[in-house]
Amino acid sequence: MPGDASARRYFRLRHAGRSYVVAHAPPASEKNSEFIAIARLLRDAGINVPRVHALDDGRGFLLLD
C-alpha cells in the first residue's frame, strides 16, 4: 500500500475463495499490540475496520480482512 511511512509490508493472500491481507509489521519498530487494541475498540464502537484473524506477534505477521 503506497504512502505508508512505516516499516510494514503488505501481501495479498487468497485462500478458499476469500481474500486477505497479510501485514508484516516488525515488532522491533511497530506497535502491533496497540494496533490490535485500537482496532478492537473501533470495531466495538461500530466502526468498520479490518478484522485481525491471526497474529504471530514474535515475527510480526498479522492476517487481516
Side-chain angles (χ1 to χ4, degrees):
M1 295 179 193
D4 189 344
S6 72
R8 287 187 223 79
R9 296 183 303 156
Y10 300 94
F11 308 91
R12 178 69 58 188
L13 172 69
R14 297 186 197 289
H15 177 70
R18 294 206 46 199
S19 181
Y20 300 93
V21 171
V22 176
H24 179 232
S29 62
E30 303 299 323
K31 297 178 180 177
N32 295 325
S33 58
E34 287 89 342
F35 171 83
I36 292 170
I38 290 169
R40 183 175 294 126
L41 287 171
L42 292 171
R43 181 172 294 285
D44 290 348
I47 298 170
N48 188 19
V49 296
R51 185 177 306 272
V52 179
H53 293 279
L55 167 67
D56 179 339
D57 201 26
R59 294 187 288 182
F61 286 98
L62 296 94
L63 182 64
L64 309 170
D65 280 341

